[in-house]
Amino acid sequence: MSLLYSLARALDRFSPAPVAYAHCDIPCGIYDPHHAQMAAHTVVRMIDLINQLEKPGPNATPEQRQEYNAKLARYVFVKEQHAEIAKSEVRILWGDYFKPDHLKTFPDLHDLVWKALKSGSKARQEINLQAAEDLLKATNDIASIYWKTKGLETMTVKAPYPTERQTVYPKFR
Amino acid sequence: MRPTLEPGDYVLVNRWAYRVRRPRRGDLVVVRDPELSDRFLVKRVSETEASTQIPLEGDNAAVSRDSRAFGAVPLDRIVGKVWLRLKP
């Protein structure tokens, strides 16, 4: 790290300089609720995998414990990561895509986003299948609203993933 | 503004640069966002005309919101010229 940069950073901490943006939000118009739904499926799947994992008994060898710990750590890591992805995707739709007009047609949108974020946090913090199911349901409900704003009907079918939960898809003509 | 600037780089701005001369094509400047005046942008001067309106562009034209979106910027909206870029 250059000396001048370190100096600038120290000054910035002492007396923060205003931020100049070199790149701003481009309203690119490209949104899809599927990211949030997929991330919610992953959270459900990770909780299923955690619950299926055989816990090491009192006579387990160190290797068995190590294997259990390694698997548990991986599932927990991915569960937390994807709960955060789901929350982030919901926030993007909410903050960038949905407009006041949409809210007039779908007045429960704010409440739905609130539920998605709350259940997402809970599913991240705990090994809680119900929270993950709630997150998935909220992302499905948001997807349903999203596709309606695009003038498309939706269908609710069993997802082609191991989670096999009901999932909202658009009916493209 | 990659690769000129990366997120987190510091820029030192000369606020007096344009009291003595006009912005020149290629100058890196800090400007008040014409659409949101309490925020600052870093852009490059794209042409110099003998007017008080300065057209600005981002280095990555395909993804930049610049004078194509908000028009040329009045000279008095330009805070100053980037004098030093500091990278980690």
Side-chain angles (χ1 to χ4, degrees):
Chain A
M1 189 174 289
S2 77
L3 185 65
L4 277 174
Y5 185 88
S6 307
L7 188 69
R9 201 176 56 169
L11 277 171
D12 190 32
R13 284 188 185 158
F14 178 67
S15 166
V19 175
Y21 296 87
H23 186 108
C24 358
D25 258 2
I26 325 145
C28 67
I30 298 170
Y31 303 99
D32 198 311
H34 193 60
H35 297 301
Q37 291 167 287
M38 260 174 63
H41 271 285
T42 304
V43 176
V44 171
R45 177 71 175 146
M46 289 305 120
I47 292 174
D48 282 348
L49 286 173
I50 290 168
N51 288 335
Q52 287 162 18
L53 201 56
E54 199 180 326
K55 294 185 178 64
N59 301 320
T61 64
E63 288 73 25
Q64 284 168 330
R65 287 177 197 283
Q66 193 176 45
E67 193 189 335
Y68 171 82
N69 288 338
K71 281 186 174 165
L72 181 63
R74 295 192 66 205
Y75 297 156
V76 168
F77 172 72
V78 172
K79 171 177 78 73
E80 298 206 5
Q81 191 182 40
H82 284 257
E84 202 49 50
I85 291 172
K87 287 175 66 186
S88 164
E89 291 293 332
V90 166
R91 271 190 230 111
I92 290 169
L93 288 173
W94 190 41
D96 300 348
Y97 173 70
F98 287 114
K99 301 284 179 291
D101 278 356
H102 296 144
L103 207 66
K104 280 181 201 153
T105 326
F106 305 99
D108 52 352
L109 183 64
H110 282 344
D111 191 48
L112 219 45
V113 169
W114 165 268
K115 279 181 185 151
L117 298 180
K118 288 291 180 197
S119 55
S121 296
K122 205 172 172 66
R124 182 176 172 169
Q125 286 160 8
E126 302 169 8
I127 298 171
N128 184 329
L129 186 59
Q130 188 55 52
E133 302 275 11
D134 292 347
L135 172 64
L136 181 60
K137 182 179 185 310
T139 61
N140 274 329
D141 292 347
I142 292 168
S144 167
I145 291 181
Y146 174 88
W147 291 116
K148 279 181 189 134
T149 67
K150 292 287 180 189
L152 289 172
E153 294 289 312
T154 55
M155 54 186 180
T156 305
V157 293
K158 204 164 86 173
Y161 317 130
T163 46
E164 298 189 333
R165 301 297 198 281
Q166 294 292 306
T167 308
V168 169
Y169 293 97
K171 276 193 210 167
F172 289 115
R173 283 174 286 259
Chain B
M1 292 294 283
R2 281 181 170 142
T4 313
L5 290 168
E6 298 285 337
D9 288 357
Y10 285 103
V11 289
L12 292 187
V13 176
N14 179 357
R15 288 174 175 264
W16 302 292
Y18 300 128
R19 292 191 184 178
V20 286
R21 69 167 180 84
R22 290 182 46 74
R24 279 182 210 136
R25 181 183 167 80
D27 283 2
L28 207 55
V29 297
V30 169
V31 60
R32 282 191 181 275
D33 188 333
E35 291 168 343
L36 203 67
S37 68
D38 58 354
R39 104 178 196 160
F40 299 101
L41 305 176
V42 189
K43 297 287 164 190
R44 198 178 286 285
V45 175
S46 58
E47 307 167 29
T48 322
E49 294 164 2
S51 84
T52 54
Q53 299 287 108
I54 313 295
L56 303 174
E57 64 187 1
D59 282 356
N60 300 288
V63 293
S64 184
R65 188 174 66 92
D66 51 24
S67 282
R68 290 166 302 170
F70 48 65
V73 173
L75 186 57
D76 63 8
R77 305 284 293 176
I78 294 180
V79 176
K81 180 178 189 294
V82 171
W83 178 58
L84 261 185
R85 288 177 280 136
L86 302 177
K87 291 177 177 292

